[in-house]
């Protein structure tokens, strides 16, 4: 089989985006009667941000360790890389269980479809696999690492008011201006959920983005009292911020899962190679690696290799 080059793949992906190329029809995808594929040269997709780059690098190294050829292709958005995954232009991507389940659900049932992702991992995984399988995709088992939405306040604010959890903040009755994305006013995990589930007095949403430097500085300065970020944000210490525990599980189960094209990478060999990461990778590990890339300016490939070597996986 002719080896696919990154430049060739980018050209193919451009055609996919324009609608000139498509994979097998949805009706013909996900045929479980056909044996899962075991192509010996695989393309690992990255969504182009630090954490996705790190995961793609680790997937690639683990596949090479298992005897596969592997190259990485960075594709900036899910709207482009997911169809490429279905068509076999990309073979493996790191995904987030609840987010990907909701994305596939919206793709199938429309943007207004009721979300299927939930805080319960088993429920989320069932929904995700039900949506992925007809598209020719196999969702491998999740590990322990999860990258969820999370909320942070300054350490001094937490100490002053005895805050460790979001429930603590709700009981405090303190007015809270929240630095977040502008969609926070409507999303159930954000302002509505904080009010309904925790009873937090959200006085307004400051639309500075999710976990941006601008948003964190607004909380650091006291302009805002809390920021929406993620559970693997490694820069909180730089701004004197601490996470409040989501003790009532408002956030969905965004555990990291490998998703593969079944006809090319659905074999036991691929699953076993990537599954080795599940036994070691934690949320804290991911946060530490993100910090090494974002704050220490190390290369993702170097950080990924060092981590796997330290864990005895290479």
């Amino acid at each position: 089989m002719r080896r696919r080059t990154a430049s060739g793949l980018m050209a193919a992906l451009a055609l996919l985006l324009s609608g000139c190329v498509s994979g097998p029809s949805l009706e013909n995808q996900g045929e479980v009667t056909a044996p899962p594929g075991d192509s010996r040269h695989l393309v690992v997709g990255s969504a182009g941000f630090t954490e996705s780059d790190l995961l793609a690098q680790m997937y690639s190294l683990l596949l090479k360790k298992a005897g596969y050829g592997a190259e990485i292709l960075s594709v900036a958005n899910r709207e482009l890389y997911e169809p490429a995954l279905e068509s076999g232009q990309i073979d493996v991507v790191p995904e987030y269980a609840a987010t990907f389940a909701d994305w596939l659900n919206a793709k199938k049932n429309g943007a207004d479809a009721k979300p299927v992702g939930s805080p319960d991992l088993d429920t989320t995984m069932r929904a995700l696999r039900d949506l992925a399988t007809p598209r020719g995709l196999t969702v491998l088992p999740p590990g322990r690492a999860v990258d969820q939405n999370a909320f942070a306040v300054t350490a001094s604010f937490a100490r002053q008011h005895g805050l460790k959890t979001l429930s603590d903040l709700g009981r405090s009755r303190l007015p809270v201006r929240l630095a977040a994305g502008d969609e926070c006013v409507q999303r159930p995990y954000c302002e509505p959920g904080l009010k309904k589930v925790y009873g937090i007095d959200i006085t307004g949403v400051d639309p500075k983005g999710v976990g941006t430097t601008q948003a964190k500085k607004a909380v650091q300065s006291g302009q805002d009292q809390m920021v929406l970020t993620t559970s693997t944000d490694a820069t909180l210490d730089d701004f004197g911020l601490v996470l409040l525990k989501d003790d009532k599980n408002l956030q969905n189960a965004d555990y990291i899962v490998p998703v593969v094209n079944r006809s090319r990478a659905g074999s036991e060999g691929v699953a076993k190679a990537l599954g080795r990461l599940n036994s070691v990778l934690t949320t804290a590990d991911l946060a530490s690696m993100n910090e090494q890339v974002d704050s220490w300016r190390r290369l993702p490939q170097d950080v990924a290799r060092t981590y796997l070597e330290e864990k005895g996986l290479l």
Side-chain angles (χ1 to χ4, degrees):
M1 181 177 292
R2 183 169 62 90
R3 178 169 174 167
R4 295 166 294 170
T5 64
S7 59
L9 283 167
M10 287 305 295
L13 289 177
L15 288 173
L16 272 171
L17 185 61
S18 67
C20 298
V21 175
S22 63
S25 68
L26 183 58
E27 290 78 12
N28 295 327
Q29 289 179 328
E31 292 290 342
V32 295
T33 54
D38 192 28
S39 301
R40 304 311 296 175
H41 185 83
L42 301 172
V43 175
V44 180
S46 165
F49 58 92
T50 296
E51 187 167 287
S52 188
D53 288 343
L54 285 164
L55 289 164
Q57 290 289 342
M58 287 189 283
Y59 287 5
S60 176
L61 289 167
L62 290 169
L63 288 168
K64 289 177 181 178
K65 174 71 174 179
Y68 293 87
E71 62 181 303
I72 294 173
L73 181 65
S74 184
V75 183
N77 60 69
R78 191 176 279 114
E79 287 75 11
L80 184 53
Y81 73 67
E82 190 278 331
L85 183 64
E86 288 188 32
S87 71
Q89 294 293 328
I90 292 175
D91 304 306
V92 185
V93 294
E95 263 295 355
Y96 301 89
T99 296
F100 196 44
D102 285 339
W103 194 88
L104 289 178
N105 186 45
K107 184 175 181 179
K108 177 183 178 182
N109 298 312
D112 295 330
K114 182 180 178 180
V116 296
S118 81
D120 182 77
L121 178 58
D122 291 340
T123 300
T124 297
M125 289 297 294
R126 283 194 297 270
L128 174 55
R129 285 175 169 144
D130 286 347
L131 289 160
T133 298
R135 295 185 175 278
L137 307 179
T138 296
V139 183
L140 300 181
R144 293 181 288 165
V146 57
D147 189 354
Q148 302 171 291
N149 293 302
F151 297 91
V153 298
T154 64
S156 59
F157 185 80
R159 285 193 302 269
Q160 180 183 355
H161 300 287
L163 307 178
K164 293 184 178 180
T165 68
L166 290 171
S167 288
D168 292 338
L169 183 56
R171 284 191 294 267
S172 75
R173 304 300 181 190
L174 291 164
V176 174
R177 180 173 162 88
L178 176 64
D182 54 9
E183 72 279 2
C184 177
V185 296
Q186 296 179 327
R187 296 287 174 86
Y189 66 81
C190 205
E191 180 181 358
L194 292 172
K195 289 180 174 179
K196 180 178 179 179
V197 175
Y198 288 108
I200 297 173
D201 180 16
I202 304 294
T203 61
V205 173
D206 188 3
K208 286 184 164 59
V210 180
T212 63
T213 296
Q214 184 184 20
K216 291 172 194 170
K217 284 184 175 179
V219 177
Q220 184 183 39
S221 69
Q223 177 184 340
D224 299 329
Q225 287 71 52
M226 189 163 69
V227 60
L228 170 62
T229 183
T230 64
S231 57
T232 59
D233 189 333
T235 66
L236 295 178
D237 285 346
D238 297 340
F239 299 90
L241 304 178
V242 294
L243 293 178
L244 295 181
K245 184 178 179 181
D246 178 21
D247 53 307
K248 292 184 179 179
N249 296 317
L250 173 63
Q251 302 306 317
N252 283 342
D254 260 331
Y255 285 75
I256 291 163
V257 291
V259 182
V260 303
N261 177 291
R262 185 178 188 274
S263 67
R264 287 188 48 82
S267 69
E268 182 179 348
V270 170
K272 185 176 180 180
L274 299 180
R276 297 176 69 205
L277 194 59
N278 288 354
S279 62
V280 298
L281 185 65
T282 66
T283 303
D285 291 341
L286 264 182
S288 175
M289 286 189 279
N290 285 337
E291 181 181 28
Q292 292 177 56
V293 175
D294 291 337
S295 297
W296 305 357
R297 303 304 180 192
R298 294 188 63 194
L299 295 175
Q301 56 265 40
D302 294 338
V303 174
R305 177 176 291 278
T306 298
Y307 176 79
L308 294 178
E309 289 174 346
E310 290 175 348
K311 296 298 182 179
L313 298 183
L314 289 185

